[in-house]
Amino acid sequence: MNVRMRIAPSPTGYLHVGNARAALFNWLYARHTGGTFILRIDDTDLARSEPEYEDDVLVGLRWLGLDWDEGVEAGGPHGTYRQSDRLDRYREVAERLLATGAAYLCFCTPEELDERRKKAQAQGRPPGYDGRCRLLDPVEAGRRAAEGEPAVIRLAVARPGMTTFVDVVRDEVSFDHEAVDDFVLVRSDGSPTYHLASTVDDVDYEITHVARGEDLLSSTPKHILIARAMGASVPTYAHLPLLFGPDGRKLSKRHGDVSLKAYREGGYLPEAMFNYMSLLGWSFEAETTVFTKEQAIERFDLAAVSKNAAVFDPEKLEWMNGVYIRGLDPIEFIDRAIPFVEDELGRELSGVEREQLSALGPLVQERVKLLTEVPGMMSFVFATALTYDERSWRKVMEIDTTPGTLDAALDRLAIVGDWKAAAIERELRAMLDELGLSARKGLQPIRVAATGSTVSPPLFETLEVLGREVTLDRLRSARARL
RNA sequence: GGCCCCGUCGUCCAGCGGCCUAGGACGCCGGCCUUUCAAGCCGGUAACGCGGGUUCGAAUCCCGUCGGGGCUACCA
């Protein structure tokens, strides 16, 4: 059987990391099985759907490296893969279910339903719809609807009854139909509900495996019932553990950054994001946490997905991002970092500046966890008038050996023959000997003078990149400021 | 309230009846290295929610209990 899986986000907001994780698991399994991965846009909620969000979904998935074989922008045998283009189809299915008696018209008003629900809940009964309109004569009901009386279409759920299915991650799950009410398929304005649209699409697109968040577990009997009523086969379901925020609740906006976009712009590498997210509810192997996309595809299995919810841990993600940054080819690192530097600078870098950046690149690369940290770590190179970090200045410039150190450094650096890190180091170490200073004490003033901070890339290389003129200039300025 | 799901270090995972005096990773703490900061290396901290069974033997199976979560819409 050819595996066909889909991810069906609603473009009502930026791509959520929970959805991105679900997309990732679907993609991994599709790739693992040599199946087909499909991107469908569930935009039945016309009021809240925005093109900007749809765009963000596409950009986000591509950024993560999740390519789709069918769907929006990729095409395929099923049209546009957008629910808003299939309204007629949902209507058609609903009419047929109505005709076969699998569904019925309901004229209860929202107010009545609300009232009855409250009462049921107060009495400890299942709060769902009580099925009252099911008793109506279909012909009579049809006439009322034709006359314009507002009506919804509900599925006639078998009662008594029970729906049982085997969930790939949770094994067998059953729902007594006591708790599955005759839910709405089509609203009184003629629009399909999520349950109808999503299930019809899954059937029409011949989806074989539905892997989605556990929040949809209790809706699954509804989807199975619709598929069966359509005379279609039921896909295999896999309900993925939910992603929690640090407070142990479903990850949502109030937890801060829940959009993938925030991570894309926050200096994270897609490889790291991919790796980290794949660990939320799954493990590559007991002792291994860092692995490639290919390795993940090779080993991924829905049946091995964990049942318990996972807390999204930003600290571990950041650590992992550092691992991936350090693993980057130096050229690649600079290429990826440059946009962040230019963004911070508000202008493009010149050729010379790019070279300086490249020279310092490998030294900075192993010191950052996020690409967004690069500008802060390199900006001193481009500064025309250096600003000193106040704490750094107080800590090392206001001690009594500093003036002498700077004077000595100035003298020695002026005569360094070949302005290279090795020569600079030789000269400065000789200076330390002469002054009887430890490297720790003697080099810090030079660092602060040259970079403005006690924290910087290694000093000798840094001075080499700055060049003799700029270095001497900065030492003089600092000396004058003492 | 009803239904459903879940319960191993603070967090993410490993464990699927004996290999467990419970393993890895993040974090945290300490040390080494060191021109700062990182990185790296070494070491440490820390968990089977609880109570009953089943079994020669239970983190692993069963029941209960407690706890957490999800759903409960003419949202998705």
Side-chain angles (χ1 to χ4, degrees), chain A residues 18 20-21 30 47 54 70 127 133 141 331 337 378 383 385 413 440 461 473:
Chain A
R21 197 283 235 100
E54 182 176 320
E70 278 179 37
C133 289
I331 309 237
M378 295 224 169
L413 291 176
R440 199 178 204 89
E461 287 85 347
D473 252 21

Side-chain angles (χ1 to χ4, degrees), chain A residues 46-100:
Chain A
L46 265 2
R48 290 194 298 149
S49 293
E50 301 283 348
E52 181 196 354
Y53 295 138
E54 182 176 320
D55 203 56
D56 182 71
V57 168
L58 304 191
V59 170
L61 293 177
R62 288 197 175 111
W63 178 73
L64 270 181
L66 309 184
D67 54 333
W68 52 100
D69 312 298
E70 278 179 37
V72 173
E73 287 191 4
H78 299 290
T80 66
Y81 293 86
R82 233 182 229 103
Q83 294 193 326
S84 53
D85 288 328
R86 288 171 47 81
L87 268 16
D88 290 345
R89 171 60 180 151
Y90 309 131
R91 185 79 216 174
E92 177 193 335
V93 170
E95 294 294 350
R96 224 183 64 224
L97 296 182
L98 220 41
T100 61

Side-chain angles (χ1 to χ4, degrees), chain A residues 234-256:
Chain A
V234 173
T236 299
Y237 288 96
H239 287 91
L240 310 174
L242 256 20
L243 257 34
F244 281 0
D247 60 351
R249 286 176 176 267
K250 197 161 78 154
L251 199 61
S252 71
K253 295 108 250 154
R254 54 197 169 74
H255 293 112

Side-chain angles (χ1 to χ4, degrees), chain A residues 387-442:
Chain A
T387 54
Y388 303 97
D389 169 64
E390 207 179 307
R391 280 192 52 188
S392 298
W393 184 275
R394 249 185 291 124
K395 197 167 154 205
V396 308
M397 300 310 255
E398 292 175 1
I399 56 178
D400 50 4
T401 52
T402 295
T405 307
L406 289 182
D407 287 336
L410 236 14
D411 287 345
R412 286 182 175 270
L413 291 176
I415 56 155
V416 168
D418 189 18
W419 191 259
K420 286 277 185 286
I424 295 168
E425 173 164 14
R426 217 176 302 125
E427 206 53 44
L428 290 180
R429 291 221 183 259
M431 176 200 81
L432 294 177
D433 278 349
E434 184 184 286
L435 300 179
L437 288 173
S438 65
R440 199 178 204 89
K441 286 201 81 162

Side-chain angles (χ1 to χ4, degrees), chain A residues 200-221:
Chain A
V200 170
D201 282 357
D202 286 346
V203 167
D204 287 354
Y205 298 177
E206 300 175 275
I207 300 302
T208 59
H209 298 254
V210 173
R212 43 145 59 161
E214 201 206 320
D215 49 345
L216 287 166
L217 186 59
S218 16
S219 295
T220 303

